[in-house]
Amino acid sequence: MSVEVKVSKEEHFIPFDIEAAQIDTPTSTYKVKAKKFLEVKRPKRRLMRLMLLPTFVFLYWTSFFWIALIDTLKLYSAGNNIYDAINLDETPQKRNSTIEFPRLIHRMWPNDEFLKQDNTEITRNFNRCIDLHKENFTTILWTDVSIKNWMQSHYPQFISTLFDAYPFQIQRVDAARYFILYHHGGVYMDMDIGCFKTKDIGDLVTYMEASGKQVALPQTDPVGLSNDVMFAKKNSQFFKKAIDALPTKNRWFGIHYLTVLYSTGSLYLSLFYFNQKPLERKQIAIIPPRLYSKRGTRYFLHFHGSTWHGKDQWIVRNWFAFPIILFFILLLLLWVRLRPIIRRKQSKLK
């Protein structure tokens, strides 16, 4: 349907659409613009939604552990300045003759069935370490059953509130390491840690006794300390406080891998060490990479173990890529938003 409207100062009529005539009103103008936006901009809006989705997912995921992530970045930026590294080339003056380490080596495995299989790597490695250190150290093998029974006998108050509350068995194993080292003292080594014939871990124990250190922990890459090798005197205050702090970290950290690391694993131990007062950190000797993992000078063999690691470990091992990915997502969103504005300004210049 069309009508004719008289135009001022003109003596003829212009046919036009009634719907077009409604553009003169503010309300109809807004509707037309909104309709135009929906029709023209819809593909771009969909693209923005698609790009916003991974951003929101990433932010939601990091909300589970952002405080721990900040502390981890602080630990990383602190570098080696906070570590009191062991230097076997220097003979420390004996400052505390009461520091004595029990000559015990603690190992852990789900069961003792592997001892019946002589041809496996884990059995050969376990027996080799016993043979090399049998004159000075007594080796104790802890299984899942013996750990649970020992905890019930010595720390029953932690069974229901902490030990059984963990969703993963590796968390119980991690926590048991700290309880055992506090209660008995000695040396803890993972089953994928081997021994050298030419290196005696007694050298590290002697150094710690002479320097008055209560605990020794290895420095690892890319950040923090590891809990696969640990030295401790009996009833050390460091592990007493680490045990008391365990319930505060028993929560979900977004994925299985991070939950284990930050609740009981190496990052839990690293951040607990980092948050100690400087004078308290002085009681902790750090086994540097030269003695822990560097070929030629290290005291420990490292086999491929990590049996508890899941498929989500790649997220942590490639953690540095996430800020880069997020940056490019935000940059792309900004480009989509500014592109039409730039085009309109360019068209006006033409």
Side-chain angles (χ1 to χ4, degrees), residues 71-203:
D71 288 340
T72 305
L73 293 175
K74 289 180 181 178
L75 175 63
Y76 180 79
S77 62
N80 297 330
N81 298 327
I82 62 172
Y83 298 136
D84 190 1
I86 294 176
N87 186 359
L88 295 180
D89 297 331
E90 299 178 0
T91 303
Q93 296 181 354
K94 197 163 187 176
R95 296 180 297 182
N96 191 345
S97 59
T98 62
I99 300 293
E100 294 184 2
F101 281 76
R103 265 47 178 186
L104 298 173
I105 297 178
H106 304 280
R107 314 298 292 267
M108 291 184 179
W109 197 249
N111 53 64
D112 59 359
E113 293 296 322
F114 72 94
L115 295 175
K116 302 175 183 178
Q117 304 172 359
D118 296 333
N119 59 341
T120 63
E121 183 181 62
I122 186 172
T123 305
R124 292 194 300 268
N125 173 46
F126 179 77
N127 291 329
R128 176 182 172 83
C129 287
I130 292 179
D131 293 337
L132 290 175
H133 300 297
K134 62 184 178 182
E135 294 184 2
N136 300 317
F137 290 88
T138 300
T139 299
I140 303 175
L141 176 63
W142 297 86
T143 64
D144 291 349
V145 175
S146 62
I147 288 173
K148 183 68 176 290
N149 294 336
W150 182 84
M151 286 290 295
Q152 288 176 335
S153 299
H154 295 86
Y155 298 95
Q157 67 275 23
F158 286 97
I159 293 297
S160 60
T161 59
L162 181 69
F163 202 74
D164 289 342
Y166 284 127
F168 308 113
Q169 177 62 20
I170 183 59
Q171 292 174 292
R172 301 181 186 95
V173 174
D174 279 340
R177 302 176 191 184
Y178 310 142
F179 279 96
I180 290 171
L181 282 178
Y182 169 72
H183 190 89
H184 291 292
V187 182
Y188 171 82
M189 294 194 301
D190 268 355
M191 292 295 281
D192 54 0
I193 297 294
C195 305
F196 282 106
K197 185 177 182 180
T198 57
K199 300 289 185 179
D200 184 5
I201 61 174
D203 297 341

Side-chain angles (χ1 to χ4, degrees), residues 34 141 194 206 258 274 325 337:
L141 176 63
T206 302
L258 288 178
F274 178 67
I325 294 173
R337 180 69 184 88

Side-chain angles (χ1 to χ4, degrees), residues 278-333:
L279 289 178
E280 294 174 331
R281 288 202 295 259
K282 285 291 184 180
Q283 298 297 318
I284 314 300
I286 301 301
I287 305 173
R290 184 172 64 88
L291 303 178
Y292 171 63
S293 57
K294 186 177 180 180
R295 293 181 179 274
T297 57
R298 62 187 179 179
Y299 271 67
F300 307 96
L301 277 169
H302 297 263
F303 299 100
H304 295 290
S306 304
T307 54
W308 67 272
H309 291 194
K311 295 180 180 179
D312 49 4
Q313 63 176 305
W314 70 271
I315 297 178
V316 179
R317 295 186 175 182
N318 299 283
W319 63 271
F320 59 87
F322 281 90
I324 299 174
I325 294 173
L326 182 61
F327 171 76
F328 279 106
I329 289 175
L330 295 176
L331 193 65
L332 187 58
L333 287 172

Side-chain angles (χ1 to χ4, degrees), residues 259-288:
T259 299
V260 173
L261 285 181
Y262 278 114
S263 64
T264 58
S266 58
L267 283 178
Y268 166 79
L269 197 67
S270 300
L271 295 181
F272 179 78
Y273 168 86
F274 178 67
N275 291 322
Q276 298 297 296
K277 296 178 181 179
L279 289 178
E280 294 174 331
R281 288 202 295 259
K282 285 291 184 180
Q283 298 297 318
I284 314 300
I286 301 301
I287 305 173

Side-chain angles (χ1 to χ4, degrees), residues 21-33:
Q22 294 177 359
I23 296 177
D24 294 335
T25 65
T27 304
S28 59
T29 302
Y30 172 79
K31 290 180 178 179
V32 170
K33 288 184 177 181

